[in-house]
Amino acid sequence: MCGIVGYVGQKQTMEVLLGGLKRQEYRGYDSAGVAVITDGGSLESAKKSGKLQVLVDHLTAHPLTAGHTGIGHTRWATHGAPVDVNAHPHLADGGKLAMIHNGIIENFAEIKQEMLEAGHEFLSETDTEVGAVLLGHLVAQTGDFRTAFAQAVNRFEGAFTVLAIHQDSPDLILAARHNSPLVIGFGDGENFLGSDVAAFVEYTHHAAAVGQDQMVAITPEGVTVTDFAGKAVEVERFEIEWDASASDKGGWPSFMAKEITENPDAVANTVRGRVTETAVDIPELATLGADTIKNTQRIILIACGTASYAGQVAAYAIEQWARIPVEVQLSHEFRYRDPVITPQTLVVSISQSGETMDTLMAVRYAMEKGAKTVSICNTQGATIPRESDAIVYTHAGPEVAVASTKAFVAQITALYLLGLQFAQVRGTLSEKEIARNISELQSLPGKIEQVLLVGPEIRQLAKWMTESPAVLFLGRHVGFPIALEGALKLKELAYIHAEGFAAGELKHGPIALIDHGQPVFVVVPSPRGSAEIHSKVVSNIQEIRARGARVIAIAEQGDVAVLPYADEVIRIPLADPFFEPILAVVPLQIFAMELADAKGLDVDQPRNLAKSVTVE
Ligand code: M6R
């Protein structure tokens, strides 16, 4: 939550800062601000509540003086409402110092009391201003920005990435991180900082992730990284694999529209290089150690939100293929339930951003308890993969829309590859069965392309439903998490009450919700899989139809059993039952987007949300 950018160099600083904020706006969009050290040597800043465009318009009308050192921030409010005064940067030391912050300084109350007693005043309700005032106080005491910064950072508790500039040190940005992301971009005669590489990918592909409890100093000439005690540390550099254009809308009306059409590539790129015709080889799993795959007795998938539904889908397949008990836990519940973890437990985290605090904490907890950990992640250099024993990156490309779409299908794909590799090593699937599943995976991108053609049909459906107060979603087996995901997409994008249910639960309560005209999406399993499951879902459709539901079935081509009972049928191509979820979710993604769009809502930046939830 919150996007941060820092720049020192000869470019138009404001252009770099605003571009970096634009590409990170998905991290938080309730206010934004910038501060620069001008070429005249003074510090100037501007900040505005509302989306970044409000700040841009303000700066167009009231430009800051040009400078070559600057910091920028886009906010998701934690302490204090999203109003101008609470936006970052926060100034201190008589306006000579500016600080921006992502996270929560948990001991802010104690520091604030001290600062009040020392005679300082506060303008905002934020924890960040408390940090800035402490830093300013220490600069005045020590007479040295770097020393003061190190002292301040060592006082902060909680989760923080902070960046600070001081007009008496004009070519310098100081930064520190604890439980919150920070990456460095290396340029030629210039350097960058960001919450993620999107902040500077337009200018450099050379990056490094800053480790836990490390401080960074950037100047145009160089970058130094130390621990909180000031001891120099080496950072691991990496090359950013995608271009700035990948995080542009590229002519699409929204990032979400673009990202849904990238579903096929997300699957294809995640599979690429990890399979032959008859075998799966994820080289990255080697870091788990030779016998881990053979010795694993239990797999726990941990994630939040959409990523947890990807885990729920994959749990069915991995358990069946590898014959290992697999359970899915919400990250924020996992570590508070004192789970039984042994060295034979494999904890697989699933996170698009790789920065979700709940998931990061759950991974750390699992490691402390002796589990091996694998990170399924879409963001290079993020904290969760860096701290895990093994990383399987999903190659969905940057996902900018706050609602996750292509990352979801890529997560299921990566988990399926992992499940197949476990089955292969443990001998629980034959070579023929592995080959058949690989071929299913490889055929998915083409099949998703076919599903995408239903877009106009769904748009029409969505237009009819703008007044619906609630929409329900039903599914069984792997279709159940798809029902949950369909409901989540609709809630977060269209602000419509939506619930997903296991179809088998209907008669245990939810059927009471069915009334005349109630729209219900039903994910219908293939009759070519378990005939029993298929006929049970058809019976469920009859039961809700008899009570007045308006049924929209998502069913495979040629499934005629649903026709007499469904008001609408959305067709998906034939696939093995385990692979159907990756097809069935696409119409639900499109539906949520189209309904939100028909209601005139911002599909990329829904209210109250942020893409990367970096606070607990
Ligand atoms: O970055 P992560 O995958 O860890 O994020 C997990 C959830 O916060 C995320 O999937 C969230 O539910 C999305 N808004 C769903 O569209």
Side-chain angles (χ1 to χ4, degrees), residues 468 470 515-520 547-550:
S468 299
D515 201 356
H516 185 71
Q518 170 63 55
V520 185
R547 286 159 180 83
R550 178 169 178 208

Side-chain angles (χ1 to χ4, degrees), residues 168-512:
D168 294 344
S169 304
D171 293 324
L172 175 68
I173 303 177
L174 297 178
R177 68 149 284 191
H178 173 76
N179 286 342
S180 197
L182 177 63
V183 283
I184 305 166
F186 298 91
D188 188 7
E190 59 183 1
N191 288 299
F192 306 80
L193 292 166
S195 295
D196 69 48
V197 296
F200 47 73
V201 65
E202 195 176 343
Y203 305 106
T204 179
H205 280 70
H206 309 302
V210 179
Q212 177 74 334
D213 294 340
Q214 290 180 355
M215 296 189 293
V216 188
I218 66 166
T219 64
E221 293 78 35
V223 175
T224 52
V225 184
T226 65
D227 63 17
F228 278 8
K231 187 166 159 262
V233 289
E234 282 291 314
V235 283
E236 207 178 304
R237 290 196 185 211
F238 62 89
E239 291 296 301
I240 304 167
E241 284 172 2
W242 47 275
D243 286 325
S245 61
S247 61
D248 289 342
K249 279 190 205 158
W252 291 92
S254 63
F255 281 108
M256 190 170 178
K258 175 180 176 243
E259 287 161 9
I260 290 174
T261 64
E262 289 170 345
N263 275 318
D265 289 343
V267 174
N269 293 338
T270 300
V271 174
R272 185 167 298 119
R274 290 171 168 157
V275 295
T276 64
E277 237 173 73
T278 54
V280 175
D281 179 17
I282 311 174
E284 301 94 312
L285 288 180
T287 55
L288 278 178
D291 294 328
T292 299
I293 296 184
K294 278 196 185 129
N295 294 340
T296 297
Q297 288 174 359
R298 182 166 162 238
I299 296 178
I300 305 176
L301 305 176
I302 50 170
C304 299
T306 288
S308 77
Y309 300 144
Q312 284 194 33
V313 171
Y316 290 92
I318 300 173
E319 188 161 285
Q320 181 162 324
W321 290 338
R323 306 311 301 152
I324 304 175
V326 184
E327 64 194 274
V328 186
Q329 300 272 328
L330 290 168
S331 313
H332 37 86
E333 291 295 321
F334 172 69
R335 70 194 173 108
Y336 297 111
R337 63 194 293 263
D338 194 13
V340 177
I341 293 174
T342 69
Q344 287 74 41
T345 307
L346 182 70
V347 172
V348 181
S349 66
I350 312 158
S351 175
Q352 187 287 131
S353 61
E355 298 292 350
T356 298
M357 182 58 81
D358 291 311
T359 305
L360 172 62
M361 290 303 174
V363 169
R364 287 184 182 160
Y365 179 86
M367 292 180 100
E368 267 165 42
K369 296 279 169 188
K372 292 269 181 163
T373 54
V374 176
S375 158
I376 306 286
C377 182
N378 195 46
T379 310
Q380 264 179 294
T383 308
I384 297 173
R386 281 190 303 110
E387 295 196 12
S388 300
D389 295 312
I391 312 165
V392 181
Y393 280 118
T394 49
H395 295 298
E399 192 180 63
V400 178
V402 165
S404 189
T405 54
K406 61 177 181 170
F408 175 73
V409 299
Q411 285 161 347
I412 300 175
T413 305
L415 288 161
Y416 276 15
L417 287 169
L418 179 134
L420 289 172
Q421 181 148 346
F422 270 63
Q424 186 177 285
V425 172
R426 296 163 74 99
T428 47
L429 286 185
S430 67
E431 188 179 277
K432 206 166 143 206
E433 286 164 323
I434 300 272
R436 191 176 54 74
N437 284 303
I438 291 172
S439 150
E440 283 285 339
L441 271 176
Q442 288 175 320
S443 69
L444 279 173
K447 291 178 184 173
I448 303 173
E449 296 283 4
Q450 288 177 49
V451 181
L452 290 170
L453 299 177
V454 300
E457 199 182 312
I458 296 177
R459 184 170 310 128
Q460 202 50 46
L461 198 62
K463 279 189 183 147
W464 292 333
M465 287 202 208
T466 48
E467 299 305 320
S468 299
V471 180
L472 305 180
F473 296 77
L474 294 181
R476 256 178 205 261
H477 191 249
V478 285
F480 167 42
I482 296 304
L484 296 173
E485 172 61 4
L488 178 62
K489 286 283 93 76
L490 199 59
K491 280 181 234 188
E492 63 181 341
L493 290 171
Y495 318 150
I496 288 181
H497 180 75
E499 291 296 334
F501 298 107
E505 274 295 290
L506 252 188
K507 293 188 277 295
H508 300 284
I511 200 163

